Amino acid sequence: MKIGRIIGTIVGVVVLIAIVFTAYALITVTHGGNEQATQPVGAGVPVDLPTTMARGEYLTRAADCEACHTAPGGQPFAGGVAFKLPFGTIYSSNITADKETGIGDWTDDEFVRALHAGVDNKGQPLYPAFPYTSYTALSRDDIVAIRTYLASLPAVHAPARPNELSFPFNQRWTLSLWNAAFLKKERFQPEQGKTEAFNRGAYLATALGHCGECHTPRNHGFAMKSGKALAGAELEGWRAYNITSDKEHGIGAWSDQELIDYFSKGHAAGRGTASGPMGEVVGYSLQYLTPSDLASLVAYLREVKPQQGSAAPAAAAAAPTATTASASPGEQLFVGACAGCHLESGQGRQTNYAMLTGLRSVRDPHATNLTQIILNGSSLHVGGQEVFMPSFGRAYSDAEIAALSNYVVSHFGGQQGTLSAEDVAKRR
């Protein structure tokens, strides 16, 4: 009985703390906090914004809203995208103008509160799979412009799919404690002594584009490690690579044009081709940035603190290794299934997007992203065209895909592949 009273007291204290934090968060956000009357340096839209594109549309694309709120085969912004996390699955919400299932009856203040504090229009905490920890840095004017654009689009009736989370993660009140520990409700502040391009790039990368949500490793509380910003992380089976200024592990050795090509076209010769989640970022967001914003993003990344990641170095690979007289099982599979698009030299047969030499994915001994592409295929919509690779997950066994991946890593990446059939089975 004594133990029971102690446990009851602890639970009561935790609940009380949660209530206090929730009330504090609601009061702080409702009264607006320290909002600036004017747009801070770095916010807003660039001067070279095409006259055919609305301000809110541009900001919505830069914030990459559509990628997370549009399910495969679904209506734009109607939600339903599954985010598979270690503690369950969260489904994105409908952000169209539908009044019953979307945000059609939300006020500007409620929408701003959602992005600044992670609280919905009914006062319920939102799960941080929605990147409000980054969006909190956005200016109010930019958030209202995004909502105005979303309200101009067709309303879609699409009820939210229930999340599938284990206890205690299915208890929303616990998010108030998480926010108290990890959410800093602060607007973007330009860094003194830096150029206007740098600060614009910082706003694009940290607030609007929220690059860190995928490219920064997480701590035990599933919050971003601030000291390891953009050092690379693995999420939902994909490796989000190191994009710091480190020349060996990051993008420090890339030229400005290579970075701009990758962001705007999804491909930089000898460096990489965007696929998986990064392909979606290029397709929905980065390809629409103006030349000045692309240059600003590069200017910012050039000065991000260099970090050494655990993934394969980003340096360009040597020429493909010579094949042996007796072809291995992996080489036989490559010749039979892959050579129609990918040449033995590492060049693409019909398109540069099929180039294999120099890519991070083929220099990774664990073949993390390479395996995902082989299993699930890849599709990149950029410049009005679709760059497509079919999936081979159903065509080949785990052992065959492991052999193929190890061959590609060895032949084109100059690394010793370590993938096993068991590894592939876990990644399926």
Side-chain angles (χ1 to χ4, degrees), residues 342-365:
H342 309 280
L343 295 172
E344 283 281 342
S345 64
Q347 300 301 305
R349 184 181 293 276
Q350 298 157 335
T351 172
N352 288 333
Y353 284 85
M355 178 184 291
L356 292 175
T357 52
L359 308 189
R360 291 189 186 191
S361 57
V362 304
R363 290 182 57 78
D364 176 11

Side-chain angles (χ1 to χ4, degrees), residues 260-292:
I260 289 174
D261 285 346
Y262 187 82
F263 295 148
S264 62
K265 303 175 184 177
H267 174 76
R271 294 295 186 182
T273 297
S275 57
M278 192 62 203
E280 293 179 350
V281 174
V282 172
Y284 285 114
S285 178
L286 292 179
Q287 68 168 311
Y288 296 101
L289 295 185
T290 65
S292 69

Side-chain angles (χ1 to χ4, degrees), residues 124-390:
Q124 292 190 97
L126 299 169
Y127 283 99
F130 172 60
Y132 60 84
T133 51
S134 295
Y135 287 156
T136 191
L138 292 174
S139 72
R140 177 185 175 86
D141 287 351
D142 283 358
I143 294 175
V144 172
I146 290 172
R147 180 182 179 276
T148 300
Y149 172 70
L150 293 174
S152 72
L153 301 176
V156 179
H157 186 82
R161 183 171 177 178
N163 296 323
E164 301 163 4
L165 299 172
S166 58
F167 182 84
F169 305 103
N170 59 355
Q171 303 297 305
R172 284 185 179 268
W173 64 267
T174 62
L175 295 173
S176 299
L177 297 176
W178 190 93
N179 288 338
F182 301 118
L183 175 61
K184 296 180 180 180
K185 295 193 289 289
E186 299 175 352
R187 306 298 83 81
F188 174 80
Q189 294 295 326
E191 188 172 338
Q192 298 298 319
K194 296 294 186 181
T195 65
E196 184 176 339
F198 171 92
N199 282 310
R200 173 61 179 175
Y203 187 78
L204 286 167
T206 62
L208 266 175
H210 55 277
C211 305
E213 299 286 346
C214 290
H215 288 274
T216 298
R218 303 273 173 169
N219 60 25
H220 293 300
F222 209 68
M224 290 184 286
K225 292 182 178 179
S226 58
K228 299 289 289 183
L230 307 183
E234 189 169 324
L235 190 65
E236 294 189 304
W238 288 87
R239 166 64 59 175
Y241 292 115
N242 183 329
I243 55 171
T244 71
S245 59
D246 186 89
K247 291 186 176 181
E248 181 179 3
H249 297 270
I251 46 88
W254 293 40
S255 69
D256 288 0
Q257 191 58 53
E258 286 171 338
L259 288 168
I260 289 174
D261 285 346
Y262 187 82
F263 295 148
S264 62
K265 303 175 184 177
H267 174 76
R271 294 295 186 182
T273 297
S275 57
M278 192 62 203
E280 293 179 350
V281 174
V282 172
Y284 285 114
S285 178
L286 292 179
Q287 68 168 311
Y288 296 101
L289 295 185
T290 65
S292 69
D293 269 357
L294 288 170
S296 294
L297 190 56
V298 171
Y300 169 72
L301 291 176
R302 284 280 180 237
E303 298 193 45
V304 171
K305 179 182 176 182
Q307 301 275 358
Q308 291 190 355
S310 58
T321 57
T323 56
T324 60
S326 178
S328 67
E331 183 180 354
Q332 292 175 6
L333 286 168
F334 181 87
V335 172
C338 309
C341 295
H342 309 280
L343 295 172
E344 283 281 342
S345 64
Q347 300 301 305
R349 184 181 293 276
Q350 298 157 335
T351 172
N352 288 333
Y353 284 85
M355 178 184 291
L356 292 175
T357 52
L359 308 189
R360 291 189 186 191
S361 57
V362 304
R363 290 182 57 78
D364 176 11
H366 305 291
T368 304
N369 290 359
L370 175 63
T371 307
Q372 291 291 351
I373 295 170
I374 294 173
L375 286 171
N376 304 305
S378 178
S379 180
L380 174 64
H381 296 268
V382 64
Q385 63 176 331
E386 180 181 14
V387 181
F388 177 77
M389 173 175 164

Side-chain angles (χ1 to χ4, degrees), residues 102-128:
I103 59 171
D105 62 350
W106 288 41
T107 65
D108 285 352
D109 285 343
E110 289 169 342
F111 192 71
V112 170
R113 181 175 67 175
L115 275 69
H116 278 175
V119 180
D120 70 13
N121 65 329
K122 294 181 173 59
Q124 292 190 97
L126 299 169
Y127 283 99

